[in-house]
Every structure is written in structure tokens, then in C-alpha cells.
Amino acid sequence: MEAFTTHTGTAVPLRRSNVDTDQIIPAVWLKQVSRTGFERGLFAAWREDPEFVLNDAAYDGASILVSGPDFGTGSSREHAVWALQQYGFRVVIAARFGDIFRNNSTKMGLLPVVLPGDKVADLQSAVEADPKLEVTVDLRERQVRWADEVIAFEIDDYTRWRLMEGLDDIGLTLRHADEVAAYENGRQPWLPTTV
Amino acid sequence: MGRTLAEKVWEQHVVRRADGEPDLLYIDLHLIHEVTSPQAFDGLRLAGRKVRRPDLTIATEDHNVPTVLGPIADPVSKKQVETLRKNAAEFGVRLHPMGDAGQGVVHIIGPQFGLTQPGMTIVCGDSHTSTHGAFGGIAFGIGTSEVEHVLATQTLPAYRPKTMAIEVSGELPPGVTAKDLILAIISKIGTGGGQGYIVEYRGEAVRKLSMEGRMTVCNMSIEAGARAGMIAPDETTFAYLKGRPHAPQGEAWDQAVAHWKSLRTDDDAVFDKVVEIDASMLTPYVTWGTNPGQGLPLAESVPSPDSFDDPVARSAAERALDYMGLRAGTPLREIEVDTVFVGSCTNGRIEDLRSAAEILRGRQVRTRTLIVPGSMQVKVQAEEEGLHEVFKAAGAEWREAGCSMCLGMNPDTLKPGERSASTSNRNFEGRQGKGGRTHLVSPQVAAATAVTGRLTAPADL
């Protein structure tokens, strides 16, 4: 996983709520067995509309997506995270995220930032007024900064540490293999196996 | 202070707890399908890792499979299914491929085999894993990184969600189903209402549901934002499980039941949030919009965006009406559909097919009507009961098992602008095919709608 400490870039406002993962990447793109090439499927249906915000050249190169509430609801497909990252996004800011999407993001190093709804709207307006506005997302300080604004966000210490170090969970868990084995020895005897 | 059911099951699975870290949770059963697993197996190969517990892992082919007999025509779908076969063989995981008597939608086959039992932790790279919570375990969907983690370690690091009780008092009136109940709940609390919670469904109406009905309710927990939904096990649960291939037998059965009976929320336990709903006031429900929270009783009309106070809900409604091609004020019963789909992990079980058949018996469908059993076993059982003859006589299509039109990864899709009444779980834009429009309904409403060609309750026939 790519480490995340602080990121400065431009943003793109997505003024929609309930951006489910079927919109982020439609199911037809899920048939791939590799981990690459998903950027072409990002918001595939919406991007067919020339008016869709990602088709506005003013936002070319943006790396921070600022969305309405309930971003990443629905399907567990991690392909949604891969598509956003491979398109060039490092951060998604919204007032509320789907639980599975948020979890998947932190496994991959895409930072989901929860800000209050009014602050998200302020940032969307600021970016619409100046698409080249520099926005900084500082995980070390747990802050989003633009112009004169400094907005704090919450993230638990453990996830923050893991993201800043770029650590993969499997390696961390395998350090506790003895404890897993000990637990396994005490499992109820009637629990089913698939064999 | 007492503990909730969710807290009890969680605590029984904590492998390791340390300050400032998520709990490390043991996973009792890992379900696999072809779509969210290939990159996870690749990850294992790259790191030279094995599947820690292939004996707690089971795989099936469901999302891509065609529901007409024959090979997979789409080469990309075919490759994905073949990749699962290769991975299952290489890593020693039991697989139920297309054509196998045990094949079916992943959330149908777990309970069918008796692998889904009370008090277990169950995960799958699929958000509808919440279905299995109907047996009183903690079951939730995970992404591919977590699939790889479970394959490698049989554990997951996770913070315990908060607990929510949804208390359903009274009794569901005749003709009102578990599907109507969960659609009403999602409309009440919204698509984000359960975010951060494990939901426990409780109360008289829930106790009276069959296991099939309980699975339908828990299945759609994720549509209210909750990763997991659960129902305390009781005699209904035990009766469903007894005698299934992987259920405990003999003395082990008695021990298991004694343990399962302890899996209930203590009387003095406190939930972080409580939602109350009166089942006796419910009527058949249908969605009008593009998220599962945009639902109403079938007797009502398409709402006006102006009726929403919240500006976010108002603009979502405007956008939804535009996508759905609907005008505010149109009675929901006047909406004409092209296609009816009965199936999916929400409503593809034998009870669902029986209730649809009861309505279609002796009648003719006016729309394209797909009846897709959730598993090969459901298909066999339905045919033994003669349900397939009822469907075929009515003009409906009787298909092979799979996810089918729930998400249209196989050839079963809507064309742009087509409209369905569907017993599945998501009415998202393009979910059933690009440009397709979906109304979520119960199997009974789906069958009645197939007869008239308009959204219809059985009582209207």
C-alpha cells in the first residue's frame, strides 16, 4: 500500500448524494481478473454525459474528490477504490461514507475524509469558484486546508498510523499467528467445516 | 449490565485485543465467488502464502453464470469463472461450479448446506453477506483486500460497530411480507441510517417470520447502511437447521442448541440506538427512485421533490424522477413495467417461488417474466413441487440458478429505458443494465405485476 502523509492538489466537486459503488464502477467492469485498467470504468455511465463534472477540462488533473453525503454505498466491490486511485484520486471528502467502501479505501491508501456537510458544501463552492484552488489534506495533523480555512477531521490512531506507514494488514496480523493458533484450539467442536 | 446478541457473538470471536488497535476477529466461515476473489488469490501467490483454513472456506459460481443451459458466451465472464476454478484447485478450496447440484447464489447455499449456524462469524466479498445474520451470527461483506486477509489468516482486524435495535411490534397483515417490512425500514431510516451499526431485528413480527423471511430482512441491512443485521436464534432457526448436511448431529447437536439458546440479548442490555416500527400498519411497498430508501406504500403516488424539506433529499428525488422517467403525482399503481424478475439472494428461495407461483397459477403474464431460482437445490425442489409447470403455463421463463438480473453481469439485463419490477435488492441507476429502471418489490407484488403489466398488489387482482 502506498503511504499517505499529506497531499496537496486540486479538487473536483461532485454534487450528488448516494454515490453508490455501482455508479463509481458499473458491474460490467468487474469481470476483469487483474488489478489494473479500472480508471476507464470510473463513473462510466455518468461520464457519457458531456456535462458531467469529470468531463469539465477545468478540473483536469484533480486528485481530491469532494462528494455529497453517502459516498460509496452499496456493493462491496473494492474495484471502486481501484478505479478512483487509478484515475488519479488520492482523497475522497464527504459527510458520510458507506462502511465497506471506507474500509476498502483505507486498505489501499485512498484516504476517505469525513467533514461536516456544510464544510463539504463550502469546499465544493470554493472549488467551483476557482478550479485551480490548492487543497491540502494533512493526515499527520488531521486537517483539510484551503485558502484561509483549516478544518479538522477525525480518524482513529491505528488507521492513521497504518496509512502513514503504508503498512499492509496481513503482515501485521501474521505477527500474531501464535494467538490465532491458540484461539483455534479453543473453538467449539460442533462448528462446521466445509469438507 | 447485560449484553446484546451482537456483543456476545463479537466477544466470542476476539483473538486479540490491544489498546489503540482494532480487535482481531476470528472468522468461522469464508464464502467465495468468482468476482471479488481473483485479485485476492493473486496476492497470496505473489507473497507465497497459502489459504490458512481451506476447510472453513467454500466457493461457488454465481454472479456471471448464464441462466439458460450452455457454456458462458462472454469470454471475459468465462475467464473469470475459469480463474476461480484454477484458484480453488490450486489452494484446495471446495467449489460448486455451474451444473453442480450444490451450485447457487453464495448466500443461498450457505444456509442450505447448514454451514450458516447461530453465533458464527461469516464473511464474503459481497455486501449481501448480511443475509446469514438471520441465524444469529455476525455476517458482513468485505472487499478484496480483506478477502485476501481472511484467506491468509482466517481473521480480520475490525472495530466493533455500535448496536441498533429495530423493534418490530405487531403482526404483518395478510399479503404483507418480509420484503415489504425491510423496504419500509430502509425508507424510514434512510440509506445511511444504519451506518456504523450492527442491527438486531427484534419483536413479535420478526419472531413470526420464517427463516426465509428473516434472511430477506437481514439481506437488505446493507441497503440501510448497516454492514450486518441479525436475529436471535430460536426454535424456528433450530428446526430449519436440523438434519442439514453440515449441521451438528447427535450429542453435538444438543450441545450446540444449548449454546445457541444463550445467544440472545439480555433483558437489561442497552442498545446504542433503538428504532420502532409497527408491522400491523404496513402494506405492500415499492421503490420509486434510484436508492432503496426511496420507497413508498404501493397505494401512494410518485412524490414531488418539493415535498422533501432536506435539500439533499430534494435534489436526489429530482434526479431520481428524471432517471426513472416518472412524473410527480402519478399513482404508483399506474406505472407500467416491461420486465418482472423473481430471484436473487434477497428473494430467490423456495418460499419466494411458492408465493409467486400461487399468484400466477391459472393466470397469464403480460410482461417478460424471469423466474430464477437462487440455487440448483431450490430449482430441484420447485420442480418436485410442480412450480415450474405453473410458471411455464403462465408464460414466464423458468431459468437456471444464479444472480442473474439482480446485477446483470450475465446476459439477463434490461435495455436502456426498460422498466422492471424486481425482487432483488438494489434500484441503483443502471444496476440491471445500462439505462434500466428498477422498482424493488416482494415476490407477490412481482407476480401480480407480471399479470397486469402495471405495479400491482395481489389483492388488486
Side-chain angles (χ1 to χ4, degrees), chain B residues 176-192:
Chain B
V176 183
T177 68
K179 183 64 165 286
D180 303 306
L181 170 61
I182 189 63
L183 286 174
I185 288 170
I186 300 163
S187 294
K188 184 180 168 86
I189 71 173
T191 57

Side-chain angles (χ1 to χ4, degrees), chain B residues 104-241:
Chain B
V105 179
V106 67
H107 308 308
I108 308 269
I109 68 165
Q112 179 180 293
F113 285 131
L115 285 166
T116 301
Q117 296 177 15
M120 290 173 64
T121 46
I122 300 175
V123 298
C124 173
D126 191 287
S127 60
H128 293 111
T129 309
S130 56
T131 310
H132 306 264
F135 291 78
I138 294 178
F140 55 93
I142 57 179
T144 299
S145 291
E146 290 181 313
V147 169
E148 185 180 340
H149 193 284
V150 176
L151 288 172
T153 70
Q154 204 58 33
T155 65
L156 265 185
Y159 290 103
R160 187 172 65 73
K162 292 177 285 183
T163 58
M164 179 189 293
I166 296 186
E167 300 275 358
V168 190
S169 60
E171 260 188 81
L172 288 171
V176 183
T177 68
K179 183 64 165 286
D180 303 306
L181 170 61
I182 189 63
L183 286 174
I185 288 170
I186 300 163
S187 294
K188 184 180 168 86
I189 71 173
T191 57
Q195 199 242 308
Y197 292 93
I198 294 181
V199 172
E200 183 184 339
Y201 301 95
R202 298 158 57 81
E204 185 188 353
V206 174
R207 295 258 69 85
K208 288 197 170 152
L209 290 176
S210 65
M211 286 317 295
E212 282 88 346
R214 293 179 189 188
M215 285 189 259
T216 299
V217 169
C218 288
N219 172 274
M220 290 188 72
S221 301
I222 185 69
E223 313 314 337
R227 242 178 137 174
M230 61 201 307
I231 294 171
D234 58 12
E235 295 302 328
T236 303
T237 321
F238 310 150
Y240 180 97
L241 271 168

Side-chain angles (χ1 to χ4, degrees), chain A residues 47-146:
Chain A
R47 272 160 71 188
E48 287 182 11
D49 172 6
E51 300 294 309
F52 183 58
V53 69
L54 283 191
N55 291 327
D56 185 339
Y59 299 110
D60 280 356
S63 54
I64 300 167
L65 184 63
V66 189
S67 172
D70 294 313
F71 186 90
T73 55
S75 160
S76 65
R77 58 190 71 169
E78 195 164 306
H79 313 64
V81 175
W82 304 337
L84 286 160
Q85 286 184 309
Q86 289 163 15
Y87 189 86
F89 288 110
R90 303 269 348 254
V91 181
V92 183
I93 298 175
R96 201 162 52 194
F97 287 93
D99 275 335
I100 305 177
F101 174 84
R102 198 188 46 206
N103 223 40
N104 290 343
S105 299
T106 67
K107 305 294 178 190
M108 289 301 300
L110 175 73
L111 185 65
V113 174
V114 176
L115 291 187
D118 57 335
K119 297 298 177 192
V120 174
D122 286 352
L123 178 53
Q124 287 175 328
S125 300
V127 173
E128 282 162 354
D130 174 12
K132 292 298 157 205
L133 178 73
E134 279 203 346
V135 179
T136 295
V137 179
D138 187 337
L139 181 58
R140 196 180 302 275
E141 299 296 330
R142 297 178 165 98
Q143 287 175 348
V144 179
R145 301 189 290 267
W146 71 91

Side-chain angles (χ1 to χ4, degrees), chain B residues 64-87:
Chain B
N64 280 278
V65 303
T67 55
V68 290
L69 286 174
I72 301 180
D74 176 354
V76 192
S77 285
K78 187 161 179 271
K79 185 177 178 194
Q80 193 162 54
V81 167
E82 285 170 352
T83 302
L84 178 65
R85 290 177 190 177
K86 189 168 67 68
N87 286 330

Side-chain angles (χ1 to χ4, degrees), chain B residues 345-402:
Chain B
C345 60
T346 311
N347 281 128
R349 284 169 282 267
I350 188 69
E351 189 178 274
D352 302 313
L353 301 189
R354 285 181 193 139
S355 63
E358 195 179 313
I359 290 156
L360 291 177
R361 194 179 298 275
R363 294 191 167 104
Q364 285 296 308
V365 302
R366 296 175 70 146
T367 65
R368 172 193 185 203
T369 302
L370 266 64
I371 314 281
V372 181
S375 71
M376 289 300 282
Q377 192 174 312
V378 170
K379 178 169 188 270
V380 167
Q381 192 175 351
E383 290 181 350
E384 283 170 3
E385 296 179 17
L387 304 184
H388 63 311
E389 298 298 352
V390 176
F391 294 132
K392 286 196 265 191
E397 298 173 40
W398 176 241
R399 297 292 192 90
E400 304 295 312

Side-chain angles (χ1 to χ4, degrees), chain B residues 253-274:
Chain B
W253 170 263
D254 296 334
Q255 287 172 4
V257 170
H259 174 68
W260 295 342
K261 284 182 173 169
S262 71
L263 298 174
R264 51 181 293 280
T265 293
D266 296 326
D267 293 339
D268 57 343
V270 178
F271 289 91
D272 296 307
K273 187 171 180 182
V274 177

